[in-house]
Amino acid sequence: MDSSDKQQSFELCLKEFLEIAHRAAILGLQAGTGGNISVRCGSTYLMKASGKSLYGLTEADVVVVDGDGKVIRGSGPATKEAGLHLNLYRV
């Protein structure tokens, strides 16, 4: 996969992540800033930044972490439950 394919794949993951976040917010699956979602995208994981609500989530509120939970894209720390999410992907 060349870099343009990887970018297109990432953009698709991000779009789907934001759509899922929006749907979860509409369904009332989150109260305040509690509750999290994540999406695996290749060898990286998209998660909402800590302290952000799913309602109105934007690209700026999404962080990308590697398999060790290190933020590699985005600002702010990943959700406090990042380790739990990563462990679930390993199962």
Side-chain angles (χ1 to χ4, degrees), residues 15-87:
K15 179 182 179 216
E16 290 178 351
F17 180 88
L18 292 171
E19 288 174 358
I20 292 166
H22 182 71
R23 266 187 276 150
I26 288 172
L27 292 171
L29 299 178
Q30 180 188 35
T33 60
N36 293 288
I37 59 171
S38 63
V39 172
R40 179 172 35 197
C41 187
S43 62
T44 61
Y45 305 84
L46 284 70
M47 301 180 183
K48 73 176 187 70
S50 183
K52 300 294 182 177
S53 172
L54 293 178
Y55 185 77
L57 200 72
T58 68
E59 184 176 342
D61 302 321
V62 177
V63 295
V64 181
V65 301
D66 65 13
D68 296 320
K70 178 183 173 193
V71 175
I72 56 175
R73 183 173 176 168
S75 61
T79 172
K80 295 173 188 167
E81 290 86 19
L84 171 65
H85 286 250
L86 294 173
N87 283 326

